Amino acid sequence: ELKAVVGGEWKMKVGPQEMTGGWRMEETKHFYFFSNLRPDLHAFFKNEIELFYNQIASIMQYKEGDPLWNNKCPVYYISKRSQFATFTSRIDKSAGAYNSGGYFMHEGRECHIVIPLYDMYPDNFQKREATNTLYHEGTHAFLQLCGNDVTINSWLHEGTAQFVEFFKDPQNNSGRNNNVALLRDRIRSGDLMTWEEGKMRPMGGGDLEGYAFAWSRVQFIYSCFPKDYLPKIIRE
């Protein structure tokens, strides 16, 4: 169905020859990995999804065999934004998602992650943006499916997703730098959100203040308390 609906053959010069291909699925240790990417990009992200898993499992102090997602989590990488728009409307029936940089979709503990590449930009930009999306949306999936029947407040869900996204390379992440700049302005002005006011923030993708404060709370918890404190909050 993916091939019929989304299409998306890739073409690649290998010496004097041109290679072509379409959708494929590979099974990794923790994921079912679907993509219609070029072979080099496919290999890059196949490796990156397991690096992501290792990072979040370390932060959340999960061990092999602990309850997580049912079986393995599917993750889809789509080579073109136009194909991503088709995927959101035809496969996930969520047409509004095409404006996003990627998302996770769930029904209870059934979950998958969808990440498009920004095909109009150079490879380095595509890799960076798609990797950031993987770590952010993958964290949402992890929290949704971590085997605990616990309702997680918005600030903790989004703050943790941003924290994990920024964790890998904090000094060179524009999203983190934007959060820091916004928070510095609020500190200078004395206009600080209280913990109670921020309980259900952010309230949407445009709530930049809500995202910044949510991230700062998780960063504070992880930096100032024992490393098992954040996992305990999430589990309990």
Side-chain angles (χ1 to χ4, degrees), residues 68-70 104-112 140-150 157:
L68 191 57
W69 37 55
N70 295 341
F104 87 109
M105 181 76 67
H106 73 92
E107 294 181 10
R109 295 199 190 282
E110 297 295 328
C111 181
H112 61 267
H140 283 310
F142 194 102
L143 296 179
Q144 182 67 29
L145 305 174
C146 64
N148 303 313
D149 295 319
V150 177
H157 230 299

Side-chain angles (χ1 to χ4, degrees), residues 207-225:
D207 186 5
L208 301 181
E209 182 182 33
Y211 275 101
F213 275 88
W215 163 74
S216 70
R217 291 171 177 178
V218 175
Q219 180 70 53
F220 170 75
I221 290 168
Y222 191 81
S223 301
C224 298
F225 291 87

